[in-house]
Structure formats: C-alpha cells, structure tokens
Amino acid sequence: MAAVTGRPIDVHTWSTPNGWKIPIMLEECGLPYRVVPVNIGKGEQMAPDFLRLSPNNKIPAIVDPDGPGGEPITVFESGAILQYLGRKTGLFYPADERARVAVDEWLFWQVGGFGPMLGQAHHFRIYAQEKIPYAIERFTAEANRLYGVLDRRLAGRDYLAGDYSIADMATLTWAKFHEKQGIDVGALPNLKAWLGRVLARPAVQRGLAAI
C-alpha cells in the first residue's frame, strides 16, 4: 500500500530514545508531520496542555488531523503510535496475522523490557547524583542479558521479525546508545551488523535529525 498523504501530523516529542521512534516511522512512511518540542529538561511534559494529550505525562504523543473516519485522533505511548501509523499506512506492520504477531512480540519486548531496563542503566550509570554500585551492577547486567537476547535473535536474520518493521525502529533508538549502557557491540556481531544496516537507512537518519 502506498503511503497515505494528508495534513501534517503533530508529533509532541523530545530528543530521547522513545522520542525519536515516531519521526523515524513518519519519515519511513513519507507522511507529513510537524515536530512540537516538549522540553522534558524543563518539565514541559507536566504542563496541563500536554497532559490532555498524554495522561502519563510522557513523550511522545501525536495528533493526527486525518484520523479514523476523517476525524482527528490523539495517540500516546510510542508502541501504540507505531502500531497506529502502521495500520494507517499499511507500511512496516504486516497485515498477515502470523507476521504481525512476530512484530508485536518484539515491539512489546522493547517497550516492556529493553527500553525500561536500558533507561535504568542510563540513569544509574550516568545521571544519578549518587553512584549506587548495586543499582549500576544490577541494570548493567540486565542490559547485557537483553543485548544477548537481541544478538541471538538476529543470528541469520537481517531484521527482528521478517522484513524491516516498527519493531526494528523501536529497538534501534535504544540500542544506538549501547556505549552508555556499558555494552561492547564488538562482542555481539549480529547486533552490530543490524545496527549498521538500520542506521544506514536515509529515513532513519532524517528521523534522528528531526528533533
């Protein structure tokens, strides 16, 4: 299916691993969009106007003026947004049920585990004012385990779930910060090759530069 065109989608986001997922998908789909910056360093995600879009006060959120039935729709949570855009365009989210289940498995693996655990590794390794050895060791070890899962999954595969999909987009934006998480991708050849493959995509590069 060809990419859907229409009025720009407003993307309320910031330059974080979760925040980059949506511009990447929109660039891949060729959909028009506008970035509405939400500076989380200044606490703008707590503003009442943003709360109306994202009840959890987390970026990203989108407002699509051409939603179902031609009416506007607001979507929050990065995984839900990626699925919505995949259904809207018919791109990077297969219609075949078996293929879709495979994409969903790895998308939910990312939003439920890979992202949150790596976020904790970021926090305790880099940002926490007090360096807590137990927390650093715990979340670095879990990051290593999850990267091992990812490397094994990518053995003999170009992408996580068949063709390139929203599962790859969601995982990439966290995996590109592997050094901050204490991960040496030189020891993970399948992952390293996948990172190079996905980061070389022009739409990915444009999406990362959009914020």
Side-chain angles (χ1 to χ4, degrees):
M1 181 184 296
V4 178
T5 59
R7 293 174 289 177
I9 293 172
D10 283 340
V11 185
H12 299 257
T13 192
W14 194 241
S15 52
T16 72
N18 285 334
W20 278 305
K21 295 175 187 177
I22 309 311
I24 288 173
M25 176 61 167
L26 290 164
E27 290 285 352
E28 292 281 13
C29 293
L31 286 170
Y33 69 98
R34 294 180 297 209
V35 169
V36 182
V38 181
N39 188 332
I40 61 175
K42 295 181 178 179
E44 291 178 358
Q45 74 277 19
M46 306 305 293
D49 285 348
F50 184 68
L51 178 63
R52 284 190 282 271
L53 304 178
S54 179
N56 197 31
N57 292 110
K58 299 287 187 180
I59 58 100
I62 67 166
V63 180
D64 182 2
D66 298 317
E71 296 297 323
I73 189 172
T74 299
V75 190
F76 73 101
E77 288 293 329
S78 62
I81 298 169
L82 290 171
Q83 289 178 322
Y84 167 73
L85 293 172
R87 291 191 300 268
K88 176 183 175 76
T89 62
L91 298 170
F92 308 108
Y93 191 40
D96 174 77
E97 184 63 15
R98 289 184 182 273
R100 179 169 286 190
V101 166
V103 171
D104 283 344
E105 286 177 329
W106 289 97
L107 176 65
F108 279 80
W109 175 83
Q110 188 282 309
V111 299
F114 193 66
M117 293 299 102
L118 299 192
Q120 294 294 336
H122 282 184
H123 177 76
F124 287 107
R125 289 175 60 87
I126 300 171
Y127 301 113
Q129 293 183 354
E130 179 185 357
K131 298 305 178 186
I132 305 172
Y134 173 78
I136 293 170
E137 292 167 9
R138 173 181 172 80
F139 290 110
T140 301
E142 180 62 1
N144 270 290
R145 188 191 72 80
L146 289 164
Y147 272 97
V149 172
L150 193 55
D151 189 64
R152 290 191 297 273
R153 174 63 182 178
L154 289 165
R157 292 183 173 88
D158 286 341
Y159 302 108
L160 281 171
D163 295 334
Y164 176 67
S165 73
I166 58 175
D168 298 284
M169 299 178 208
T171 305
L172 167 73
T173 58
W174 284 96
K176 73 185 292 290
F177 291 105
H178 53 87
E179 291 181 356
K180 289 186 176 182
Q181 300 141 15
I183 305 298
D184 175 14
V185 296
L188 301 166
N190 305 313
L191 170 66
K192 184 177 180 180
W194 170 82
L195 271 173
R197 191 177 302 123
V198 180
L199 284 170
R201 295 179 68 91
V204 169
Q205 296 172 11
R206 293 193 302 271
L208 290 171
I211 309 170

